[in-house]
Short mmCIF file of all heavy atoms in Angstrom, two decimals:
data_model
loop_
_atom_site.label_atom_id
_atom_site.label_comp_id
_atom_site.label_asym_id
_atom_site.label_seq_id
_atom_site.Cartn_x
_atom_site.Cartn_y
_atom_site.Cartn_z
N SER A 429 8.34 1.77 -21.37
CA SER A 429 8.68 2.27 -22.74
C SER A 429 9.43 3.59 -22.65
O SER A 429 9.80 4.06 -23.80
CB SER A 429 7.34 2.39 -23.52
OG SER A 429 6.54 3.29 -22.84
N ALA A 430 9.70 4.07 -21.40
CA ALA A 430 10.38 5.45 -21.33
C ALA A 430 11.85 5.29 -21.88
O ALA A 430 12.46 4.17 -21.95
CB ALA A 430 10.34 5.86 -19.93
N LEU A 431 12.24 6.42 -22.32
CA LEU A 431 13.68 6.59 -22.71
C LEU A 431 14.62 6.09 -21.66
O LEU A 431 15.50 5.30 -21.85
CB LEU A 431 13.97 8.13 -22.97
CG LEU A 431 15.02 8.45 -24.07
CD1 LEU A 431 14.75 7.76 -25.30
CD2 LEU A 431 15.03 9.99 -24.30
N VAL A 432 14.41 6.57 -20.45
CA VAL A 432 15.13 6.01 -19.21
C VAL A 432 14.21 5.64 -18.19
O VAL A 432 13.86 6.33 -17.18
CB VAL A 432 16.04 7.14 -18.63
CG1 VAL A 432 17.03 6.68 -17.57
CG2 VAL A 432 16.90 7.78 -19.83
N PRO A 433 13.71 4.30 -18.31
CA PRO A 433 12.77 3.87 -17.26
C PRO A 433 13.43 3.70 -15.99
O PRO A 433 14.54 3.27 -15.82
CB PRO A 433 12.27 2.52 -17.91
CG PRO A 433 13.34 2.14 -18.78
CD PRO A 433 14.06 3.32 -19.29
N ASP A 434 12.66 3.86 -14.84
CA ASP A 434 13.27 3.65 -13.46
C ASP A 434 12.81 2.20 -12.93
O ASP A 434 13.48 1.78 -12.05
CB ASP A 434 12.65 4.73 -12.59
CG ASP A 434 11.28 4.91 -12.45
OD1 ASP A 434 10.54 4.62 -13.51
OD2 ASP A 434 10.62 5.22 -11.44
N GLY A 435 11.86 1.44 -13.68
CA GLY A 435 11.40 0.17 -13.20
C GLY A 435 12.57 -0.77 -13.11
O GLY A 435 12.74 -1.44 -12.13
N PRO A 436 13.40 -0.95 -14.12
CA PRO A 436 14.59 -1.91 -13.98
C PRO A 436 15.39 -1.75 -12.76
O PRO A 436 15.78 -2.76 -12.05
CB PRO A 436 15.33 -1.68 -15.35
CG PRO A 436 14.29 -1.21 -16.31
CD PRO A 436 13.46 -0.23 -15.43
N GLN A 437 15.80 -0.53 -12.43
CA GLN A 437 16.69 -0.30 -11.25
C GLN A 437 15.90 -0.71 -9.96
O GLN A 437 16.40 -1.31 -8.96
CB GLN A 437 17.19 1.11 -11.18
CG GLN A 437 18.18 1.43 -10.07
CD GLN A 437 19.48 0.54 -10.23
OE1 GLN A 437 20.11 0.60 -11.20
NE2 GLN A 437 19.77 -0.24 -9.24
N ASN A 438 14.60 -0.24 -9.96
CA ASN A 438 13.74 -0.57 -8.71
C ASN A 438 13.60 -2.09 -8.55
O ASN A 438 13.63 -2.55 -7.43
CB ASN A 438 12.40 0.08 -8.86
CG ASN A 438 12.49 1.71 -8.65
OD1 ASN A 438 13.44 2.07 -8.12
ND2 ASN A 438 11.45 2.34 -9.05
N LEU A 439 13.39 -2.72 -9.69
CA LEU A 439 13.30 -4.24 -9.65
C LEU A 439 14.61 -4.83 -9.19
O LEU A 439 14.53 -5.64 -8.29
CB LEU A 439 12.88 -4.72 -11.08
CG LEU A 439 12.36 -6.14 -11.13
CD1 LEU A 439 11.27 -6.42 -10.07
CD2 LEU A 439 11.87 -6.43 -12.56
N SER A 440 15.66 -4.41 -9.68
CA SER A 440 16.83 -4.89 -9.28
C SER A 440 17.20 -4.66 -7.75
O SER A 440 17.69 -5.56 -7.12
CB SER A 440 17.99 -4.23 -10.12
OG SER A 440 19.20 -4.52 -9.80
N ASP A 441 16.88 -3.41 -7.25
CA ASP A 441 16.92 -3.11 -5.89
C ASP A 441 15.93 -3.95 -4.96
O ASP A 441 16.40 -4.40 -3.95
CB ASP A 441 16.63 -1.63 -5.62
CG ASP A 441 17.76 -0.64 -6.15
OD1 ASP A 441 18.79 -1.18 -6.49
OD2 ASP A 441 17.53 0.58 -6.16
N ALA A 442 14.80 -4.18 -5.53
CA ALA A 442 13.87 -5.08 -4.74
C ALA A 442 14.48 -6.45 -4.64
O ALA A 442 14.14 -7.12 -3.52
CB ALA A 442 12.55 -5.08 -5.59
N VAL A 443 15.12 -7.02 -5.64
CA VAL A 443 15.68 -8.38 -5.48
C VAL A 443 16.76 -8.25 -4.39
O VAL A 443 16.83 -9.18 -3.51
CB VAL A 443 16.28 -8.88 -6.82
CG1 VAL A 443 17.07 -10.14 -6.62
CG2 VAL A 443 15.14 -9.11 -7.85
N ALA A 444 17.61 -7.25 -4.35
CA ALA A 444 18.61 -7.11 -3.38
C ALA A 444 17.90 -7.12 -1.87
O ALA A 444 18.40 -7.84 -1.06
CB ALA A 444 19.42 -5.86 -3.57
N VAL A 445 16.83 -6.41 -1.89
CA VAL A 445 16.21 -6.22 -0.55
C VAL A 445 15.62 -7.58 -0.16
O VAL A 445 15.56 -8.11 0.88
CB VAL A 445 15.11 -5.12 -0.53
CG1 VAL A 445 14.30 -5.18 0.74
CG2 VAL A 445 15.87 -3.74 -0.77
N ALA A 446 14.99 -8.32 -1.12
CA ALA A 446 14.32 -9.50 -0.86
C ALA A 446 15.35 -10.61 -0.40
O ALA A 446 15.04 -11.44 0.28
CB ALA A 446 13.69 -10.02 -2.18
N GLN A 447 16.61 -10.37 -0.90
CA GLN A 447 17.70 -11.38 -0.49
C GLN A 447 18.28 -11.04 1.03
O GLN A 447 18.85 -11.89 1.56
CB GLN A 447 18.82 -11.39 -1.51
CG GLN A 447 18.29 -12.08 -2.80
CD GLN A 447 19.44 -11.84 -3.89
OE1 GLN A 447 20.15 -10.81 -3.96
NE2 GLN A 447 19.48 -12.78 -4.75
N GLN A 448 18.12 -9.69 1.34
CA GLN A 448 18.87 -9.25 2.48
C GLN A 448 17.99 -8.87 3.73
O GLN A 448 18.37 -8.75 4.83
CB GLN A 448 19.72 -8.18 2.20
CG GLN A 448 20.91 -8.56 1.19
CD GLN A 448 21.69 -7.39 0.66
OE1 GLN A 448 22.27 -6.57 1.36
NE2 GLN A 448 21.73 -7.28 -0.71
N ALA A 449 16.59 -8.55 3.41
CA ALA A 449 15.74 -8.17 4.48
C ALA A 449 15.43 -9.44 5.40
O ALA A 449 15.58 -10.50 5.00
CB ALA A 449 14.44 -7.58 3.93
N GLN A 450 14.72 -9.12 6.54
CA GLN A 450 14.40 -10.17 7.48
C GLN A 450 12.97 -10.53 7.56
O GLN A 450 12.56 -11.53 8.08
CB GLN A 450 14.92 -9.74 8.93
CG GLN A 450 16.48 -9.90 8.89
CD GLN A 450 17.03 -9.24 10.19
OE1 GLN A 450 16.26 -8.77 11.03
NE2 GLN A 450 18.30 -8.90 10.14
N GLY A 451 12.09 -9.79 7.00
CA GLY A 451 10.74 -10.03 7.12
C GLY A 451 9.78 -8.73 7.03
O GLY A 451 10.41 -7.64 7.03
N GLY A 452 8.55 -8.99 7.04
CA GLY A 452 7.58 -7.88 6.91
C GLY A 452 7.39 -7.31 5.54
O GLY A 452 8.02 -7.84 4.56
N VAL A 453 6.38 -6.40 5.40
CA VAL A 453 6.19 -5.87 4.02
C VAL A 453 6.90 -4.57 3.89
O VAL A 453 6.80 -3.64 4.64
CB VAL A 453 4.58 -5.59 3.89
CG1 VAL A 453 4.29 -5.00 2.56
CG2 VAL A 453 3.85 -6.93 4.12
N LEU A 454 7.72 -4.53 2.75
CA LEU A 454 8.59 -3.34 2.57
C LEU A 454 8.25 -2.80 1.16
O LEU A 454 7.70 -3.49 0.27
CB LEU A 454 10.04 -3.89 2.52
CG LEU A 454 10.39 -4.72 3.71
CD1 LEU A 454 11.67 -5.46 3.49
CD2 LEU A 454 10.51 -3.74 4.97
N VAL A 455 8.59 -1.55 1.04
CA VAL A 455 8.42 -0.86 -0.29
C VAL A 455 9.82 -0.44 -0.82
O VAL A 455 10.48 0.27 0.00
CB VAL A 455 7.39 0.30 -0.14
CG1 VAL A 455 7.46 1.07 -1.44
CG2 VAL A 455 5.98 -0.34 0.16
N VAL A 456 10.07 -0.65 -2.00
CA VAL A 456 11.41 -0.26 -2.63
C VAL A 456 11.08 0.68 -3.74
O VAL A 456 10.39 0.26 -4.73
CB VAL A 456 12.24 -1.48 -3.02
CG1 VAL A 456 13.45 -0.94 -3.77
CG2 VAL A 456 12.67 -2.25 -1.73
N CYS A 457 11.70 1.90 -3.71
CA CYS A 457 11.49 2.84 -4.80
C CYS A 457 12.70 3.91 -4.74
O CYS A 457 12.97 4.35 -3.65
CB CYS A 457 10.12 3.57 -4.79
SG CYS A 457 9.86 4.71 -6.20
N ALA A 458 13.27 4.08 -5.85
CA ALA A 458 14.37 5.09 -6.05
C ALA A 458 15.49 4.95 -4.94
O ALA A 458 15.91 5.93 -4.35
CB ALA A 458 13.73 6.55 -5.88
N GLY A 459 15.89 3.60 -4.78
CA GLY A 459 17.00 3.42 -3.89
C GLY A 459 16.59 3.47 -2.45
O GLY A 459 17.54 3.32 -1.56
N GLN A 460 15.38 3.61 -2.07
CA GLN A 460 15.03 3.69 -0.61
C GLN A 460 14.13 2.51 -0.28
O GLN A 460 13.26 2.00 -1.13
CB GLN A 460 14.37 4.99 -0.39
CG GLN A 460 15.25 6.16 -0.63
CD GLN A 460 14.88 7.39 0.37
OE1 GLN A 460 13.82 7.82 0.30
NE2 GLN A 460 15.86 7.66 1.26
N VAL A 461 14.18 2.09 1.00
CA VAL A 461 13.32 1.07 1.44
C VAL A 461 12.45 1.62 2.48
O VAL A 461 13.06 2.14 3.57
CB VAL A 461 14.19 -0.09 2.01
CG1 VAL A 461 13.29 -1.35 2.31
CG2 VAL A 461 15.26 -0.52 1.05
N HIS A 462 11.16 1.36 2.42
CA HIS A 462 10.29 1.94 3.41
C HIS A 462 9.39 0.87 4.08
O HIS A 462 9.13 -0.22 3.46
CB HIS A 462 9.33 2.97 2.66
CG HIS A 462 9.91 4.07 1.98
ND1 HIS A 462 10.19 5.24 2.50
CD2 HIS A 462 10.31 4.16 0.71
CE1 HIS A 462 10.73 6.00 1.66
NE2 HIS A 462 10.85 5.40 0.59
#
Side-chain angles (χ1 to χ4, degrees):
S429 57
L431 207 53
V432 185
D434 53 330
Q437 185 64 54
N438 287 344
L439 193 52
S440 174
D441 288 349
V443 171
V445 173
Q447 288 169 330
Q448 295 169 56
Q450 286 163 15
V453 178
L454 307 164
V455 170
V456 171
C457 183
Q460 296 211 298
V461 187
H462 302 273

